[in-house]
Amino acid sequence: MTALYRTYRPLSFTEVVGQDVVVRTLRNAIESDQVRQAYLFAGPRGTGKTSMARILAKALNAEGGPSADFDPTTRIARSIADGTALDVIEMDAASQRGIDEIREIRERAMLQPAEGGYKVYIVDEAHQLTTAAWNALLKLIEEPPPHLVFVFCTTEQSKVIPTVRSRCQTFVFQRPRLQELVATLRRVCEGEDIDAPDSALSLIARGAGGSFRDAVSTLDQ
């Protein structure tokens, strides 16, 4: 049984809640062909950093070329959402933090995308990469092939080495407001045909500490 948080995570820019500045800036970059090749998504856990990284990857690999208004039901968009796309590689730096993993990235990153127009690497918990791993990655960040985009997601921006931070466009994700959490929980309840009073959803939202993931996970329990 799939967790509700995974079932109801946003699949497109229009479904993202509480990160209007990030959405608007990324949409403008895609529409004006000004996409950067390294992004740093920083902010508290459960605020949608990895989901936004996947949405960016879908937009870049949209059928017919990059589009902020891509169709999330296409095969490639669905494969990115499911984590099975050949050109969108996700790694967890908490467990894959060494230089050997980075060497593998460097070898594979130079290859042309197999399906879409971009090869996107999404590195979660990026602050846990070792200094040696960052240094091995630095040249690729400085001089990437045109088809390559990195998205580094982190809850501890200050632990990402300064030379890397200076080469990334940084977005700081904000904790959602209470009413945004309640609206998200209401959407899940409607999708699952759950009858829940607003007072109960507000109680769950208050206990989530500004995390979409924790709010929906509590509802799931």
Side-chain angles (χ1 to χ4, degrees):
M1 184 174 176
T2 305
L4 290 181
Y5 177 72
R6 294 187 178 277
T7 302
Y8 288 93
R9 68 188 344 164
L11 300 177
S12 65
F13 287 123
T14 57
E15 295 181 9
V16 174
V17 175
Q19 307 297 341
D20 295 347
V21 173
V22 182
V23 169
R24 185 166 61 249
T25 307
L26 289 176
R27 286 183 65 97
N28 288 342
I30 293 163
E31 290 167 358
S32 60
D33 195 23
Q34 297 293 320
V35 174
R36 299 284 291 272
Q37 293 193 272
Y39 290 95
L40 181 63
F41 289 176
R45 61 186 296 274
T47 50
K49 299 181 297 295
T50 307
S51 293
M52 188 76 81
R54 292 193 185 114
I55 291 169
L56 175 60
K58 294 177 198 175
L60 293 176
N61 287 296
E63 292 183 358
S67 172
D69 297 307
F70 64 89
D71 180 357
T73 65
T74 61
R75 185 191 60 79
I76 190 164
R78 283 188 282 107
S79 69
I80 292 171
D82 295 339
T84 59
L86 296 175
D87 297 324
V88 180
I89 300 94
E90 296 187 36
M91 62 176 285
D92 181 4
S95 57
Q96 299 170 282
R97 60 196 301 261
I99 198 165
D100 289 340
E101 287 84 3
I102 300 305
R103 285 196 182 112
E104 183 179 347
I105 288 178
R106 285 169 58 181
E107 291 172 4
R108 294 175 59 188
M110 303 308 291
L111 301 174
Q112 290 292 323
E115 298 177 310
Y118 284 86
K119 185 166 286 189
V120 182
Y121 280 86
I122 301 171
V123 183
D124 205 14
E125 299 296 333
H127 60 274
Q128 297 205 40
L129 287 175
T130 64
T131 300
W134 277 122
N135 288 333
L137 198 55
L138 193 56
K139 186 171 179 59
L140 195 55
I141 297 172
E142 290 175 332
E143 300 175 13
H147 62 263
L148 181 63
V149 172
F150 281 106
V151 184
F152 301 107
C153 303
T154 178
T155 53
E156 299 187 54
Q157 180 183 349
S158 61
K159 290 187 177 181
V160 178
I161 64 174
T163 48
V164 171
R165 291 206 308 266
S166 69
R167 288 159 175 79
C168 295
Q169 182 171 7
T170 300
F171 292 99
V172 178
F173 284 60
Q174 306 299 321
R175 294 183 189 277
R177 292 171 294 182
L178 181 65
Q179 57 265 41
E180 292 171 336
L181 284 172
V182 171
T184 298
L185 292 173
R186 174 60 61 200
R187 184 171 71 91
V188 175
C189 287
E190 290 172 354
E192 295 295 310
D193 198 22
I194 297 170
D195 183 16
D198 287 340
S199 57
L201 298 185
S202 294
L203 192 63
I204 292 172
R206 286 194 185 93
S211 168
F212 285 113
R213 181 165 61 228
D214 289 354
V216 178
S217 295
T218 301
L219 177 67
D220 203 357
Q221 293 172 19

